[in-house]
């Protein structure tokens, strides 16, 4: 337990020294400094963030668009088919009725 505490204290001290070395100069309080701009490896572990400007969003959307479209159609055919048949039937009836009314009410 004692070695764990001493290791933790040494790590905190090392981190404090690293932060103090990168502290901004002048009358800038530490809470106003931009610490996120600095890159610091920690015991061989590298942690970085990817800027949103460096990420390619659109290729991931379209690289398998054909497979996604086929998947969406085949998975939902049982739900969509009755509505599609009803819509086509209604459209056909409306077109027929419009033609019938136009035929019987001509001048």
């Amino acid at each position: 337990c004692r070695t764990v505490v001493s290791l933790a204290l040494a790590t905190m001290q090392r981190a404090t020294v690293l932060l103090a070395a990168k502290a901004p100069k002048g009358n800038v309080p530490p809470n106003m400094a931009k610490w996120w701009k600095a890159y610091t490896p920690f015991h061989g572990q590298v942690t970085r963030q990817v800027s949103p400007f460096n990420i390619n969003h659109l290729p991931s959307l379209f690289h398998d668009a054909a497979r996604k479209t086929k998947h969406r159609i085949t998975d939902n055919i049982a739900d969509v088919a009755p509505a599609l048949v009803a819509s086509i039937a209604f459209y056909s009836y409306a077109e027929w009725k419009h033609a019938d009314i136009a035929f019987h009410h001509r001048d």
Side-chain angles (χ1 to χ4, degrees):
C1 182
R2 189 173 190 191
T3 57
V4 172
V5 171
S6 63
L7 182 63
L9 288 175
T11 304
M12 286 191 299
Q13 184 181 15
R14 190 176 318 122
T16 305
V17 169
L18 286 173
L19 287 176
K22 294 182 181 181
K25 309 294 188 250
N27 290 337
V28 179
N31 63 335
M32 298 298 288
K34 293 184 179 179
W35 299 107
W36 54 269
K37 278 188 158 184
Y39 158 68
T40 307
F42 181 70
H43 293 294
Q45 179 182 4
V46 179
T47 56
R48 295 182 183 179
Q49 290 181 340
V50 177
S51 169
F53 298 106
N54 293 334
I55 298 175
N56 293 329
H57 300 285
L58 293 181
S60 64
L61 291 175
F62 298 115
H63 80 278
D64 59 346
R67 185 189 62 81
K68 287 180 185 176
T69 304
K70 179 181 169 255
H71 182 64
R72 285 180 187 247
I73 291 172
T74 57
D75 285 354
N76 297 319
I77 194 73
D79 298 330
V80 175
L84 187 62
V85 168
S87 298
I88 292 172
F90 178 75
Y91 179 77
S92 300
Y93 172 75
E95 287 293 319
W96 171 80
K97 191 64 174 172
H98 176 71
D100 186 46
I101 291 172
F103 179 75
H104 289 99
H105 294 313
R106 57 188 175 148
D107 291 342

